[in-house]
Amino acid sequence: MNKAEGRRMQIKKKQIFIGSALTHLPKEVFGEYKALIYRIADLVEEKYSCVPKYALEHSDPQLAELRQTQRPDICYKLDRYLVESSELVIAETSFPSIGLGQELQIAEYANIPVIFLYKDYQNNIANEKNYQSKSNANHSIELGKHKITSVMALGNPAKVHEIKYSNLDDAIMKLDSYLCQILPKLKIRDKHNKYEETLSEIRKLSTMTEYA
C-alpha cells in the first residue's frame, strides 16, 4: 500500500466548533458557562467521535503567547478558520457577542449548519424599548419571543435547530437528541487547514517577541 492509499484509509473525523460569548460574559455566570462548553465538547468527542474546537482551548491560550498588538489580527484568523474547518457549529447565544455574531455569519457564508442554544439567566433578558419615529409613529424594538438572542441572529439561514434549556443536564439531553439526527447527515468537507498555518504564524511571532 502506497502513502496515498494509506492517507485515504485514515479515518477522518468531523469537526464541531462551539461558539459562545466570552468578552462581556458576566463574571458570575462564567463558571456555569465554561462547564457547559466542556460538557458539550465531551459529548461530541466521546459519544460521536467528533473533534470539538472552541476558544477556551484553541484560541485564547494561543493568543497569550503574543503581544497585545498582535492579538486582534491573529484572533480573527484563528476563530474564522476554526469555523470554516468545521462541519457543524454549536452556538451558545444567551449573551450578546460581536465575535460570536461574526462567527455565525462566517458559518452562513461557508454553508455550515448552526445549532443555537440559550438559557434565561435572569440577567440576560432584553428590556422593552419604545420610541417615536421622525413621523411621530409609535414603535417598539423587536426583541423576539424569549427576549434573549438577537432576532437577526435567529434569522440566520445557517440555523438548523434552536434549543432553549433550563440547566446543564437539560442542555446536554436536548443537544444529544438533535445531534444523533443531524451528524449522520453531515459529510466531511474538503478544506485547507488554515488554522494550523496560523498556529505556525503564532510560533514565529512568539519567537520574534521573545528575542525582541
Side-chain angles (χ1 to χ4, degrees):
M1 181 176 64
N2 58 38
K3 291 183 179 180
E5 291 173 335
R7 284 194 294 269
R8 284 196 295 269
M9 290 184 65
Q10 289 180 350
I11 299 176
K12 293 184 178 180
K13 294 185 177 182
K14 295 170 184 174
Q15 178 173 302
I16 297 179
F17 178 72
I18 307 167
S20 66
L22 288 174
T23 302
H24 292 288
L25 185 71
K27 188 175 182 179
E28 62 269 20
V29 303
F30 179 69
E32 180 180 346
Y33 215 70
K34 178 170 64 71
L36 175 63
I37 293 171
Y38 287 167
R39 289 272 305 266
I40 294 173
D42 289 343
L43 172 67
V44 301
E45 183 173 23
E46 295 172 5
K47 181 170 182 177
Y48 295 99
S49 298
C50 294
V51 179
K53 298 285 186 178
Y54 48 100
L56 293 177
E57 293 289 337
H58 304 100
S59 180
D60 286 293
Q62 291 73 16
L63 293 174
E65 300 178 21
L66 303 174
R67 294 175 178 172
Q68 285 287 347
T69 54
Q70 298 170 326
R71 294 177 186 177
D73 176 61
I74 298 298
C75 180
Y76 178 81
K77 290 180 180 179
L78 286 175
D79 290 359
R80 177 175 189 137
Y81 300 150
L82 283 172
V83 173
E84 290 180 335
S85 60
S86 296
E87 277 67 46
L88 176 69
V89 170
I90 298 173
E92 211 300 334
T93 63
S94 296
F95 293 91
S97 169
I98 294 175
L100 178 58
Q102 286 187 293
E103 291 163 357
L104 294 176
Q105 196 57 48
I106 291 168
E108 197 276 329
Y109 284 152
N111 294 313
I112 299 169
V114 180
I115 300 172
F116 281 61
L117 296 94
Y118 51 87
K119 172 189 170 183
D120 179 355
Y121 277 89
Q122 302 299 314
N123 61 346
N124 64 331
I125 304 300
N127 296 318
E128 292 186 5
K129 302 171 184 69
N130 303 315
Y131 68 99
Q132 280 191 331
S133 65
K134 287 187 175 182
S135 62
N136 294 321
N138 294 320
H139 297 284
S140 298
I141 300 298
E142 178 55 51
L143 302 178
K145 181 179 179 181
H146 300 297
K147 302 179 182 179
I148 297 175
T149 301
S150 163
V151 175
M152 181 178 179
L154 290 172
N156 189 318
K159 186 191 75 174
V160 292
H161 194 55
E162 184 180 326
I163 296 172
K164 185 181 182 187
Y165 63 95
S166 57
N167 54 51
L168 296 183
D169 290 338
D170 185 48
I172 296 302
M173 179 188 69
K174 290 177 178 177
L175 180 61
D176 185 20
S177 177
Y178 186 71
L179 287 176
C180 69
Q181 300 175 48
I182 190 172
L183 283 176
K185 301 176 183 178
L186 299 180
K187 295 181 180 179
I188 295 179
R189 303 165 63 244
D190 291 328
K191 56 224 175 187
H192 178 61
N193 198 335
K194 294 182 180 179
Y195 176 78
E196 293 297 331
E197 291 180 358
T198 307
L199 291 183
S200 297
E201 184 179 351
I202 289 175
R203 286 190 285 270
K204 291 178 182 178
L205 288 172
S206 61
T207 300
M208 292 170 63
T209 299
E210 182 179 350
Y211 291 101

